[in-house]
Amino acid sequence: MNASMLSYILLSCLLLSVQAQYCGVREIIRYTQLLLDDSSVSCPCRQTATSSGHELACFVDGTKHLKENTPFNRVIERLSRTFQAQLDRSLCKRLAHSDQCQYETKGNVKEFLKKILTTYQKIEKFNA
């Protein structure tokens, strides 16, 4: 194995390890705050389970539900794609990756968005 091949392998491993930790925390916080400020976004949403291990699956389900019950909104679309990518690729190791969300109660969109916001603010604080 020559030096250039070894360098390529090391760089690839480094990029994969960085990507595995990618949560898009700042992006998700920014999108969530935009949606909280947007009074036109509303729907009957399921509130996420408080037991850990299901948060990401709940965020995926909740944003899908928002997309289906809200006129097209670019921010909801981006947020939904980000959560789905995190779940599909096992990104953001700070959140457990269960395939199914266990809902406790019905809530409103503001409660759902606040749950997303506080979850990712905790991750941001932990990473700081």
Side-chain angles (χ1 to χ4, degrees):
M1 184 181 300
N2 62 29
S4 64
M5 181 64 118
L6 183 59
S7 298
Y8 175 77
I9 291 171
L10 290 174
L11 180 61
S12 297
C13 289
L14 176 65
L15 289 173
L16 286 173
S17 67
V18 168
Q19 186 180 17
Q21 294 299 319
Y22 176 73
C23 293
V25 174
R26 289 187 182 138
E27 177 182 332
I28 289 170
I29 289 171
R30 183 170 42 94
Y31 290 154
T32 305
Q33 287 173 330
L34 286 170
L35 290 172
L36 280 167
D37 293 340
D38 185 353
S39 61
S40 69
V41 176
S42 66
C43 76
C45 297
R46 298 178 189 104
Q47 189 172 352
T48 59
T50 55
S51 60
S52 66
H54 301 279
E55 300 98 339
L56 192 51
C58 291
F59 297 161
V60 168
D61 288 353
T63 52
K64 270 188 201 170
H65 187 72
L66 266 175
K67 280 179 17 179
E68 292 167 359
N69 292 286
T70 305
F72 179 77
N73 183 307
R74 188 169 298 187
V75 176
I76 294 171
E77 186 68 36
R78 287 183 181 169
L79 201 55
S80 179
R81 278 189 275 142
T82 301
F83 290 139
Q84 189 64 57
Q86 288 178 355
L87 187 63
D88 291 346
R89 297 181 188 135
S90 296
L91 300 175
C92 195
K93 299 299 182 187
R94 301 264 180 243
L95 293 173
H97 291 77
S98 174
D99 288 339
Q100 292 184 341
C101 178
Q102 295 179 358
Y103 297 107
E104 283 188 343
T105 59
K106 295 245 182 198
N108 65 38
V109 71
K110 299 293 182 191
E111 291 168 358
F112 174 69
L113 293 172
K114 286 177 186 175
K115 175 68 174 172
I116 293 171
L117 187 61
T118 57
T119 300
Y120 280 85
Q121 284 173 333
K122 287 178 189 175
I123 293 170
E124 183 180 48
K125 185 177 179 182
F126 185 81
N127 289 338

